[in-house]
Amino acid sequence: MHWEGEKRRRLKELERAIERGEVDEAAIPVLETLNSFEEYCTTSSCSGRVVVLHEPEVGDKIGSEFVAKWHEPPEPEEVREAVLKAPEEGITWVKAQPPLFHVMCRDLEAAVRLRNIASEAGFKASSIRSVKSSKVIVEILGGERMDVPAKVNGKLTLREKAWDSVVALCNDILRSGHERLSRLVEALKGLSR
Amino acid sequence: MHWEGEKRRRLKELERAIERGEVDEAAIPVLETLNSFEEYCTTSSCSGRVVVLHEPEVGDKIGSEFVAKWHEPPEPEEVREAVLKAPEEGITWVKAQPPLFHVMCRDLEAAVRLRNIASEAGFKASSIRSVKSSKVIVEILGGERMDVPAKVNGKLTLREKAWDSVVALCNDILRSGHERLSRLVEALKGLSR
């Protein structure tokens, strides 16, 4: 009863977020498939993205801020411009981040099943993130990523000619994450209900 | 009985690996502390490292090979030389990788306890990686890392002047991982037995 109520409330929130355009397109089929199972309920999602992130110093998560985010492959020039306009002091990162889904599971058995299927579908970094008596959180996470310190204390680290190839690699990672999401949806459909 | 036997066997293996110098120094106090608990048994470890890794293409784990590895902060010139001598085709990465420990736990409760204490000690990416009836594997993992594609199809991406700052950042990540290992050891010592 507790589970059903919480799932219903979260699905309503998700519906509103989708209506407001806050959920990236490529994540939606995965969310729908996961939520169609009684024992799973998604709590957050990202289909993978390229970001420009500024940190006053390495690991300062509190002081960090996003300068730009893309869920679809950006142009090299867009990424370069975002890096140029970031603050001078500190570190400006260009990051390609893999797909990431958090899924509340009704019990540990359901969580183990989901982690295993995600891992087999290519999300090798998937794991159980927390276990409480009433619910278990699974993180579905891809393994490929890139974290380039593109500006350090006002100095650009990349050669002018390298922007194209570095952003192309980011975009490869983004696309391969999207492809894997389709594999995950197929794999989930094969799960018995 | 099964658990005790397997733990004894694994500790013997670890002892031999330490004697052969195959275990990085900074990992040893963590391994010793973890193994001093009845319910935990380490199965692999890395105290964090800087690596130069060559991949024929993004995500090709099978074809990838290490060109160089350091468990203590390398000099910028050493890293640059390793990148230069890597194969031309494909992608040569300079990576700073966080500390990573795999710990077999006797039961789920012990695993949840370990994951939580590791997370509180700064290993935010820690998780339960697999759950089987007889044992549970916890991954203790730091969150900070760097993955720079330093040579793409024969072309260096970094400016000559940027090697110092990029390698300095790698080394900051390496050092902050080592500091966190000390915090983890202290936190573990506070766990009741």
Side-chain angles (χ1 to χ4, degrees), chain B residues 1-68:
Chain B
M1 178 53 190
H2 173 66
W3 168 268
E4 277 80 15
E6 183 159 359
K7 178 164 176 175
R8 207 163 32 239
R9 184 180 62 73
R10 287 183 178 272
L11 289 190
K12 271 246 148 42
E13 269 176 31
L14 173 62
E15 211 177 291
R16 282 193 294 264
I18 291 175
E19 281 167 14
R20 286 194 302 262
E22 290 166 9
V23 178
D24 34 307
E25 288 285 330
I28 294 176
V30 183
L31 295 171
E32 284 174 349
T33 310
L34 284 166
N35 289 321
S36 72
F37 288 88
E38 263 181 34
E39 64 267 43
Y40 301 130
C41 175
T42 58
T43 63
S44 71
S45 70
C46 174
S47 65
R49 58 189 187 178
V50 176
V51 304
V52 173
L53 179 79
H54 179 263
E55 274 181 0
E57 58 186 296
V58 175
D60 178 357
K61 297 283 170 275
I62 295 160
S64 77
E65 55 171 335
F66 288 102
V67 184

Side-chain angles (χ1 to χ4, degrees), chain A residues 84-135:
Chain A
L84 286 176
K85 79 172 188 208
E88 298 289 285
E89 289 305 301
I91 302 134
T92 303
W93 298 89
V94 173
K95 290 176 180 258
Q97 298 179 319
L100 172 71
F101 292 79
H102 284 152
V103 187
M104 204 168 78
C105 306
R106 204 170 45 186
D107 54 45
L108 185 65
E109 289 68 32
V112 171
R113 223 159 37 231
L114 180 59
R115 195 216 75 90
N116 291 348
I117 212 162
S119 175
E120 282 159 26
F123 295 88
K124 298 294 181 202
S126 299
S127 64
I128 296 172
R129 287 308 290 271
S130 80
V131 181
K132 292 197 176 115
S133 60
S134 61
K135 60 194 176 208

Side-chain angles (χ1 to χ4, degrees), chain B residues 3-180:
Chain B
W3 168 268
E4 277 80 15
E6 183 159 359
K7 178 164 176 175
R8 207 163 32 239
R9 184 180 62 73
R10 287 183 178 272
L11 289 190
K12 271 246 148 42
E13 269 176 31
L14 173 62
E15 211 177 291
R16 282 193 294 264
I18 291 175
E19 281 167 14
R20 286 194 302 262
E22 290 166 9
V23 178
D24 34 307
E25 288 285 330
I28 294 176
V30 183
L31 295 171
E32 284 174 349
T33 310
L34 284 166
N35 289 321
S36 72
F37 288 88
E38 263 181 34
E39 64 267 43
Y40 301 130
C41 175
T42 58
T43 63
S44 71
S45 70
C46 174
S47 65
R49 58 189 187 178
V50 176
V51 304
V52 173
L53 179 79
H54 179 263
E55 274 181 0
E57 58 186 296
V58 175
D60 178 357
K61 297 283 170 275
I62 295 160
S64 77
E65 55 171 335
F66 288 102
V67 184
K69 290 183 202 176
W70 298 268
H71 285 100
E72 295 298 327
E75 293 296 325
E77 191 50 31
E78 291 177 275
V79 180
R80 186 174 166 280
E81 274 172 18
V83 170
L84 286 176
K85 80 173 185 204
E88 297 289 285
E89 289 305 300
I91 302 135
T92 303
W93 299 89
V94 173
K95 290 174 180 259
Q97 298 178 320
L100 171 71
F101 292 79
H102 283 153
V103 187
M104 204 169 77
C105 306
R106 202 171 44 186
D107 53 46
L108 186 65
E109 289 68 35
V112 171
R113 225 162 32 236
L114 180 58
R115 196 215 74 91
N116 291 347
I117 212 161
S119 176
E120 281 158 27
F123 296 87
K124 298 294 181 202
S126 299
S127 64
I128 295 172
R129 287 307 290 270
S130 80
V131 181
K132 293 200 175 110
S133 60
S134 61
K135 61 194 175 207
V136 185
I137 304 292
V138 164
E139 179 174 88
I140 298 177
L141 179 65
E144 288 160 28
R145 44 186 292 166
M146 186 188 298
D147 301 87
V148 178
K151 189 163 76 174
V152 180
N153 293 326
K155 298 214 170 95
L156 293 174
T157 63
L158 294 175
R159 292 166 192 253
E160 284 304 317
K161 286 185 178 164
W163 283 97
D164 283 1
S165 59
V166 168
V167 175
L169 280 177
C170 282
N171 291 344
D172 284 352
I173 291 174
L174 196 61
R175 281 191 208 98
S176 99
H178 284 182
E179 281 165 28
R180 238 163 251 191

Side-chain angles (χ1 to χ4, degrees), chain A:
Chain A
M1 177 55 189
H2 172 65
W3 167 268
E4 277 79 16
E6 182 159 359
K7 178 164 176 175
R8 207 162 34 238
R9 183 179 65 70
R10 286 184 179 271
L11 288 190
K12 271 243 149 43
E13 269 177 28
L14 173 61
E15 212 177 291
R16 282 195 293 266
I18 292 176
E19 280 168 13
R20 287 193 300 263
E22 291 167 8
V23 179
D24 34 307
E25 288 285 328
I28 295 176
V30 184
L31 295 172
E32 282 173 350
T33 309
L34 284 166
N35 288 320
S36 72
F37 288 87
E38 264 181 33
E39 64 268 42
Y40 301 130
C41 176
T42 58
T43 62
S44 70
S45 69
C46 174
S47 65
R49 59 188 186 178
V50 177
V51 305
V52 173
L53 178 80
H54 178 263
E55 274 181 1
E57 57 186 296
V58 175
D60 178 358
K61 295 285 170 274
I62 294 160
S64 76
E65 55 171 335
F66 288 102
V67 183
K69 290 183 202 176
W70 298 269
H71 285 100
E72 295 298 327
E75 293 296 324
E77 190 52 30
E78 292 178 274
V79 180
R80 187 174 166 278
E81 275 171 16
V83 170
L84 286 176
K85 79 172 188 208
E88 298 289 285
E89 289 305 301
I91 302 134
T92 303
W93 298 89
V94 173
K95 290 176 180 258
Q97 298 179 319
L100 172 71
F101 292 79
H102 284 152
V103 187
M104 204 168 78
C105 306
R106 204 170 45 186
D107 54 45
L108 185 65
E109 289 68 32
V112 171
R113 223 159 37 231
L114 180 59
R115 195 216 75 90
N116 291 348
I117 212 162
S119 175
E120 282 159 26
F123 295 88
K124 298 294 181 202
S126 299
S127 64
I128 296 172
R129 287 308 290 271
S130 80
V131 181
K132 292 197 176 115
S133 60
S134 61
K135 60 194 176 208
V136 185
I137 304 291
V138 164
E139 179 172 87
I140 298 177
L141 179 65
E144 287 160 28
R145 45 185 291 166
M146 186 188 299
D147 300 86
V148 179
K151 189 164 76 175
V152 180
N153 293 326
K155 300 218 168 92
L156 293 174
T157 62
L158 294 175
R159 293 167 190 250
E160 285 304 317
K161 287 187 179 164
W163 284 95
D164 283 0
S165 59
V166 168
V167 174
L169 280 177
C170 282
N171 291 344
D172 283 352
I173 290 175
L174 196 61
R175 281 190 209 98
S176 99
H178 284 182
E179 281 164 28
R180 238 163 252 191
L181 289 178
S182 314
R183 278 170 59 193
L184 178 62
V185 167
E186 287 313 304
L188 285 169
K189 284 182 178 160
L191 263 185
S192 61
R193 281 163 202 271

